[in-house]
Amino acid sequence: MATSVISEKAVASVFNGFWADTLPLLTASFVRVFNEAHCENLVDLPSSRFVRIPIAREVELHDLVAEFAFCAAEVAHATGKPLAAISTDTALVSEIYAKAILFLKRYESADDEMLLNVVEVEEAFRLASQYQYFFDYLRLHHADIEFRPKVRGAGFLGSCTADLCVGNTLYEVKAISRNLGGRDIRQLLIYLALRWAEDQPQWEYAGFFNPRRALHYRFSVEHLIYRTSGGKSKAEVFDQLLRFLDARGIELDTPF
């Protein structure tokens, strides 16, 4: 019997029996309707600066490009520097790349050489610009935006780092070409449950931001849980999830 600590993405992707019991209505058909009903296309807004950014032919390291973009947006938010200035600052670009590699360690190289090509770096900065447009669209103060909010782990799930806390809303960033899937929703609910167990202000709303497709989702946490659990309260579902994570009899038979 393993006592390994695994990631929230792994928890959201496996343990199908638990998820089917806890959220029986989080089905493929529900997710399809969710994508249609809760999706806001930011390109269609009046005077929108958002654009869709398809993956260029020269882009191979999609996940590293997305992480670099997130880190660049984080640096711009922290320093107040415009992305145009950051993109020409060699030292800052190297710092951003090093930070991205910390989260995607499989791209580490012995000589610290940057693996991204010129097109990939340019695309990353275009994606990073979408974050600034997003924050402007939400019309919140600088202090209301927090990158990488941390939540304590529970049981066999280690401590986690979410993507964006924006006021009373927790956003997960998905710079993807596909639609959202059930595992994306489950991952977000894991963060919310862990936060619920802490003596901290709660996120009453949650959502997704896709900088590549310029899509925005925002919804009531209580309402989503009610719809996917068959009428249970947020407290019931979060308690069930936390008790599952604390269980000692679960075998982790998948390598993580």
Side-chain angles (χ1 to χ4, degrees):
M1 186 178 301
T3 57
S4 305
V5 173
I6 67 174
S7 74
E8 64 274 22
K9 288 185 178 180
V11 174
S13 299
V14 295
F15 305 119
N16 293 332
F18 165 76
W19 288 114
D21 180 60
T22 306
L23 303 174
L25 302 183
L26 184 57
T27 60
S29 58
F30 174 89
V31 174
R32 184 168 55 253
V33 172
F34 176 89
N35 273 289
E36 295 171 355
H38 289 280
C39 179
E40 179 182 30
N41 192 328
L42 299 172
V43 174
D44 294 339
L45 296 174
S47 304
S48 175
R49 291 185 292 168
F50 291 96
V51 294
R52 298 181 185 88
I53 305 176
I55 299 172
R57 287 195 304 270
E58 298 87 348
V59 172
E60 296 181 356
L61 307 179
H62 306 166
D63 52 350
L64 185 54
V65 168
E67 187 62 36
F68 185 101
F70 185 83
C71 293
E74 184 178 16
V75 168
H77 179 74
T79 63
K81 291 185 176 181
L83 284 165
I86 292 174
S87 67
T88 60
D89 187 324
T90 304
L92 262 182
V93 169
S94 297
E95 178 184 317
I96 291 167
Y97 180 78
K99 190 168 188 178
I101 293 297
L102 282 176
F103 293 93
L104 295 172
K105 293 185 182 297
R106 62 183 175 279
Y107 292 120
E108 287 181 336
S109 59
D111 55 5
D112 295 328
E113 179 185 2
M114 183 178 290
L115 300 180
L116 296 177
N117 61 44
V118 173
V119 174
E120 288 172 326
V121 173
E122 289 176 350
E123 186 167 292
F125 275 107
R126 290 182 67 206
L127 287 170
S129 296
Q130 302 274 78
Y131 289 84
Q132 185 58 61
Y133 303 154
F134 184 54
F135 298 149
D136 291 345
Y137 162 69
L138 294 176
R139 297 180 180 178
L140 291 174
H141 297 296
H142 185 277
D144 292 328
I145 300 166
E146 179 187 357
F147 280 75
R148 304 185 198 275
K150 298 187 183 302
V151 287
R152 288 200 304 263
F156 60 82
L157 176 62
S159 60
C160 302
T161 302
D163 284 339
L164 287 171
C165 169
V166 182
N168 64 349
T169 305
L170 178 67
Y171 282 103
E172 181 70 6
V173 175
K174 296 293 181 185
I176 52 179
S177 299
R178 62 171 173 83
N179 287 332
L180 293 174
R183 65 182 181 276
D184 301 316
I185 296 172
R186 292 192 292 267
Q187 181 183 344
L188 192 52
L189 289 174
I190 289 169
Y191 297 138
L192 294 163
L194 294 173
R195 181 64 168 250
W196 179 77
E198 297 183 26
D199 185 20
Q200 296 284 344
Q202 298 298 301
W203 292 303
E204 299 300 330
Y205 295 87
F208 295 93
F209 172 54
N210 185 334
R212 186 169 290 285
R213 298 176 65 191
L215 300 178
H216 172 224
Y217 304 73
R218 184 174 183 267
F219 45 87
S220 161
V221 175
E222 189 80 57
H223 182 67
L224 176 70
I225 289 176
Y226 182 86
R227 291 285 306 279
T228 56
S229 67
K232 294 179 184 177
S233 69
K234 177 174 70 175
E236 288 177 287
V237 169
F238 285 172
D239 180 67
Q240 190 173 351
L241 174 55
L242 293 168
R243 284 190 286 108
F244 174 77
L245 294 174
D246 280 331
R248 291 290 179 263
I250 295 173
E251 294 187 17
L252 306 181
D253 56 2
T254 305
F256 299 103

